[in-house]
Amino acid sequence: MKQKARIAMQRALAEEAIGKLKAIRQLFGAEESADSDDTSGLDAWDSKINELADWIWSESPIA
């Protein structure tokens, strides 16, 4: 597999993984918001997901 094709596949897999993390966050966010008003854990999760996505698309080897 050529490097260009491998990088394209890795980008697609990264996009899928980020999407799954966001979906998990939404699932737990729905449960968390029903249980309490404290959403600090969800805000921290959002921050980490965004930090990961920013790193992947700007600084990682597949950027």
Side-chain angles (χ1 to χ4, degrees), residues 9-38:
M9 185 176 9
Q10 288 174 339
R11 286 179 179 166
L13 291 171
E15 186 71 37
E16 182 180 350
I18 291 168
K20 287 181 179 182
L21 288 172
K22 289 180 179 181
I24 290 168
R25 187 264 180 236
Q26 289 176 347
L27 175 68
F28 286 113
E31 292 176 358
E32 189 73 24
S33 64
D35 292 339
S36 72
D37 293 331
D38 183 22

Side-chain angles (χ1 to χ4, degrees), residues 38-46:
D38 183 22
T39 59
S40 61
L42 295 176
D43 294 337
W45 184 249
D46 279 340

